[in-house]
Amino acid sequence: MLTLDQTAVEIKANETVTLTATVAPSDATDKTVTWTSSDTTVATVANGVVTPVAGGETTITAKAGKVTATCVVTVIAEKDA
């Protein structure tokens, strides 16, 4: 099982947010988490740190083995903030 500490988050263009992934059970053989963004023109992700690029919405996916967890990230463009 894989869970994220947030399933939806809203951030401003000049902020970052860190998502925390929890892999269960605690003795799972592979706890390596890979991160992807469904739209890198809106936000990128590395090691759980989401960095906004432009206003819009993207889905951040964490994957460990065959299980995934997602978080919808809405980036508020500076002109809209």
Side-chain angles (χ1 to χ4, degrees), residues 2 19 23 36 58 63 67-68 77:
L2 177 67
L19 300 176
V23 179
T36 56
T58 186
K63 182 176 181 181
V67 294
T68 61

Side-chain angles (χ1 to χ4, degrees), residues 12-45:
K12 294 179 183 171
N14 60 348
E15 298 176 335
T16 61
V17 65
T18 301
L19 300 176
T20 302
T22 303
V23 179
S26 58
D27 62 348
T29 54
D30 186 2
K31 290 188 175 188
T32 304
V33 176
T34 56
W35 298 88
T36 56
S37 171
S38 66
D39 189 345
T40 56
T41 65
V42 174
T44 60
V45 61

Side-chain angles (χ1 to χ4, degrees), residues 2 5 7 23-24 29 31 36 45 49 55 57-59 64-65 70 72-73:
L2 177 67
D5 61 334
T7 57
V23 179
T29 54
K31 290 188 175 188
T36 56
V45 61
V49 179
E57 186 176 284
T58 186
T59 300
T70 60
V72 176
V73 175

